[in-house]
Each structure stands twice: as structure tokens, then as C-alpha cells.
Amino acid sequence: MSETEQLRIDGQRLWDSIMAMGEIGPGQQGGSCRLALTDEDRDGRDLFIRWCEEIGCRISIDDMGNIFARRDGRDNELSPIVAGSHLDTQPHGGKFDGIYGVLAALEVLRTLHDNDVVTKAPVEVVMWTNEEGSRFAPAMIASGVYAGLFEKDYAWSITDSEGNSLGDELKRIGYMGEMPCGQNPIGALFEAHIEQGPILEAANHQIGVVTGGQGQHWYDVRLKGQDSHAGSTPMSCRRDALVAAAEIITMVQTLALKFAPHAVSTVGEMSVLPNSRNTIPGEVFFSIDIRNPYAEVLAKMAAQLATSIAAIVERHGDECEFKEIWDKPPVHFDLDCIAAVEHAAVRLGYSHQHIVSGAGHDACQVCLVAPTSMIFVPCAGGLSHNEQESAEPEDLEAGCNVLLHAMLALANKNGA
Ligand code: GLV
Ligand code: MN
Ligand code: MN
């Protein structure tokens, strides 16, 4: 048995780091609010960099604000074995979504540091910018630029609801680095994450060996009717954009039910103009998110969505701008990386199963340009994107030990 086979991470230190990060941008109900490129995001990044520097890592930041913390190997000509995720959160975010993946990767490097283990290939922790897509849509934008899926100029030009651009906000918080995004190589990427769904908990499995991620389409919809007086406009004379939107929202839900059991669909963001109780709403903006693990089914859902929206809008006599802002096909992870995760879970004696990710992840972008896989651990009630999101310390520790051994297997491939 090699000396590194005995290595285990420090579960308490991992937990304490997750709790400390959760204090930055605290939510109202026990979670976190650290929207991408806000002051809170900057403070979280600063803390992460401080922790990485304490164990001697070298930091590089690219011009999408992605942060790479490197621990040299014996052969630094080899591409690094990388692990990480994101530190930004949803507005009512939990303490674990993304944060776990970054800090589990840091815990792996801390464990190597404490035990003076030098890997053959270098190892790195990565923190990707704006995974959530909540302040700046679409999601996973910076890992998407890394993977060549988005142009950098497009990514920099995206604005939040107040008109601030992603590029300006990156500069404002001091995280637009010099290195061109995509320049640094990744030999393989692992991302540890809470499952964000109920499957592992229901099966009583501690580890999800993630084989891929489902596809998703995001849309912006703007409906225009006519503002008019809520008291004096007869029902027959109204062009109420919100009533048409309500019909579309119901249709969006029916669409996913029709393509059960795998399809999901959500209208999660909406604004109503002029948003006054005694004016009939003349304009409504809302988002639509549809997802399915199978590309052919997702394409059918997308086609039916467009046809149904056109029919509803015509019946209401409104104007409609219906724009697809993102089309992310389903992805399949690398067989060697999946095997590395599975072997680690088997050797460490953790109960596990294969699983397809319902949520989007940076790994689902980077897998197009580097061998990739993910490790899931259960979260209570499958709840995520909710301040109540929680996970058991021993499951987080198990996932991090799997990450450690999957990374070691690839970093020491062909001779330790
Ligand atoms: C990312 O959190 C997603 O929308 O799946
Ligand atoms: Mn996440
Ligand atoms: Mn998320």
C-alpha cells in the first residue's frame, strides 16, 4: 500500500472553513447572499486567496476573474489536476452550493501540504466567476468563456438589472486579472458539490458518481399590452400583459409535466410595469428555464414552448419579445475521471451510485475542453437555492476524501 493511500482530509477544518465563508454576506435565515461581483463576493475571494497563500499556493487570476491556486508537482511541465467550483450564491443562497466544491479542493491541498506530499503533476484549486447567473445571466459564464462557449466581449458586456456590466464590476472589485481566460491548461477537472436534489438521500447513498449533466435552455420574455386605469377600463377593453403572462406560466408548468418524468421547467424571475395596484399592467418581463437530460426531448420541449407562447400572445393581442438567451446541451463526463471517482469511493468504503446532475455546474462547461467529472454528496431534503440548504459534516468529509483520492490517482498517473 502506498503512503498516500492512508491519507485522509480533516473534516472539522473543512466544516469550519465552510462556516467561516458563510459569514461573508450573511443571509436573513442562516444562508448567504454573495451575488457575483458584489463587495461580498470580493470579500469571499480575498479570504479564499489568503487561505491558499497560507499553504504556499501561487495564485493566478484570469480576465474573467477566475482564480487558480497552484501547488507545484515534481513535473511542472504536466498540466495540473484541478478541482473547484464557485463562491457566488443565489440571493437566498445556502452555505454549501459551490462553496463546498472550492473549499473541499482547498482542504485536499491543505492535506497534501500538512503531510508533505508532492504529487507528480501539479494540483490546483479553481474558483469560477458567476456560476449562479442570478445577477448576470446566463449562468456558468466564466467557465463557459474558458471552454470557448462564450466570447469574452459578450461576457463582459452582460448587465445586471441596474445596468452595471460584468466587465466593469470585475474591474471595480479588483478581480479582472491579466491572464487571458482559457490560457492556463487543465489536465483534468473534478468538482465536488452537494446533490441539490433528493436522490442520494432517498437511496441512503453517501456519494454520487456523476456521469453527466442535463441540458437547459434559458429565455427572456417581454410582453407588451397597454397601461390603463384599473377602475374605469371595462374588462372587454383591456390589454393586460400580466394576465397573458399568467397563462404562459401555467403552460410552462404543463409542458414539463407532459414530458415527465425527467423534464423540469421554471419561471423564476418577473417584473411588472408599472407595478401599481390601480393600473392594468402594460408590460411584463419574465424568465423561462427548461431542462431535460436528453437532447431530442429538450428540442421537442423548446419547439412546443415557442408554438404555445405564440398562440397565447396572439389570443391576447399583446406584443411579445421571446428570446432564447442560452442553449446548453446535455453533457457526458470523461470515463477515466468517472472511474477515478468511483474507484476512490469503493476503496474508501463509501456507499455510492451513478447519477446525472439536474443542476448546471462549471464542470458541465469545462468538460467540453478537459477530462472532467463530479462528486455529489447528499443534502437535507434535497433542498438547495434556499437558505435552509444543509449537509451532514460526515457526508462532506466523505466527498472530500473521494476528491483527494481521485485527484491523487490522476496527479500520480504513470508513476508516483
Ligand atoms: C445553477 O445553479 C443552475 O441553475 O443549475
Ligand atoms: Mn453550484
Ligand atoms: Mn446554484
Side-chain angles (χ1 to χ4, degrees):
M1 188 181 286
S2 80
E3 155 202 4
T4 56
E5 282 183 27
Q6 307 293 344
L7 281 185
R8 296 293 180 272
I9 63 94
D10 181 338
Q12 185 64 49
R13 180 171 58 188
L14 170 63
W15 179 263
D16 292 345
S17 301
I18 293 171
M19 292 304 119
M21 187 59 75
E23 292 306 314
I24 299 179
Q28 304 287 316
Q29 292 175 39
S32 295
C33 178
R34 228 174 19 257
L35 297 182
L37 310 183
T38 55
D39 291 354
E40 291 75 22
D41 185 10
R42 178 200 56 214
D43 294 348
R45 288 162 177 261
D46 290 352
L47 176 61
F48 166 63
I49 288 178
R50 180 158 68 72
W51 281 338
C52 293
E53 287 179 338
E54 277 169 11
I55 54 166
C57 290
R58 213 169 49 247
I59 302 294
S60 349
I61 304 175
D62 71 22
D63 53 11
M64 283 300 300
N66 300 317
I67 305 172
F68 297 84
R70 180 183 178 100
R71 183 167 200 274
D72 278 340
R74 280 191 307 284
D75 182 353
N76 293 306
E77 296 299 307
L78 292 172
S79 295
I81 304 304
V82 183
S85 189
H86 59 98
L87 291 177
D88 67 319
T89 75
Q90 289 283 320
H92 293 171
K95 287 193 170 97
F96 301 90
D97 170 4
I99 295 88
Y100 170 54
V102 175
L103 299 182
L106 171 65
E107 177 55 37
V108 166
L109 267 57
R110 282 172 163 168
T111 303
L112 300 180
H113 177 77
D114 290 349
N115 291 279
D116 294 321
V117 174
V118 181
T119 48
K120 183 176 175 204
V123 286
E124 290 187 1
V125 185
V126 59
M127 189 237 68
W128 302 105
T129 295
N130 186 45
E131 189 275 348
E132 291 292 2
S134 178
R135 180 177 178 205
F136 296 101
M140 309 174 234
I141 187 92
S143 51
V145 171
Y146 183 93
L149 295 166
F150 300 118
E151 294 293 334
K152 202 158 27 190
D153 285 341
Y154 161 72
W156 282 336
S157 74
I158 292 169
T159 51
D160 67 7
S161 58
E162 269 144 37
N164 303 300
S165 78
L166 185 146
D168 286 348
E169 286 295 275
L170 259 180
K171 285 188 199 144
R172 186 189 67 78
I173 68 162
Y175 272 95
M176 184 181 277
E178 309 244 300
M179 176 170 71
C181 180
Q183 182 175 286
N184 55 318
I186 293 182
L189 178 81
F190 293 101
E191 181 169 352
H193 209 285
I194 56 166
E195 180 203 329
Q196 308 185 275
I199 296 170
L200 294 177
E201 190 180 60
N204 204 17
H205 285 154
Q206 211 166 15
I207 299 294
V209 178
V210 189
T211 56
Q214 67 177 340
Q216 56 191 30
H217 288 212
W218 279 14
Y219 304 88
D220 280 353
V221 188
R222 192 170 295 282
L223 286 178
K224 289 189 181 149
Q226 187 176 49
D227 291 3
S228 61
H229 197 289
S232 51
T233 313
M235 295 309 283
S236 58
C237 302
R238 295 174 178 223
R239 283 176 55 216
D240 185 331
L242 187 53
V243 171
E247 207 175 308
I248 293 174
I249 293 168
T250 309
M251 176 276 291
V252 166
Q253 194 206 17
T254 312
L255 179 74
L257 295 174
K258 197 166 144 193
F259 286 92
H262 297 297
V264 288
S265 61
T266 307
V267 173
E269 184 180 348
M270 175 171 257
S271 52
V272 179
L273 285 174
N275 209 24
S276 166
R277 70 177 63 211
N278 51 357
T279 297
I280 295 161
E283 186 170 328
V284 177
F285 166 84
F286 56 98
S287 61
I288 300 177
D289 171 326
I290 61 171
R291 307 192 193 197
N292 198 285
Y294 303 103
E296 335 63 82
V297 183
L298 188 57
K300 276 192 198 148
M301 288 173 69
Q304 289 194 20
L305 178 73
T307 316
S308 303
I309 288 183
I312 294 169
V313 169
E314 192 181 333
R315 192 152 21 80
H316 284 265
D318 290 338
E319 285 166 45
C320 176
E321 289 164 26
F322 173 61
K323 197 161 87 185
E324 183 183 272
I325 61 159
W326 193 30
D327 166 2
K328 169 97 189 104
V331 292
H332 304 284
F333 290 152
D334 175 76
L335 293 178
D336 287 340
C337 290
I338 295 171
V341 171
E342 183 148 27
H343 287 159
V346 169
R347 214 165 45 70
L348 292 161
Y350 298 134
S351 59
H352 62 280
Q353 67 171 89
H354 283 197
I355 189 167
V356 173
S357 177
H361 298 287
D362 295 305
C364 299
Q365 308 281 59
V366 179
C367 70
L368 300 176
V369 291
T372 296
S373 73
M374 294 187 72
I375 300 156
F376 277 176
V377 295
C379 55
L383 196 62
S384 184
H385 287 192
N386 184 312
E387 293 203 39
Q388 308 303 316
E389 176 184 278
S390 74
E392 293 299 324
E394 51 275 27
D395 293 338
L396 298 168
E397 181 174 343
C400 190
N401 274 321
V402 170
L403 179 65
L404 166 69
H405 287 281
M407 289 182 79
L408 280 172
L410 291 209
N412 288 333
K413 208 166 153 185
N414 304 326

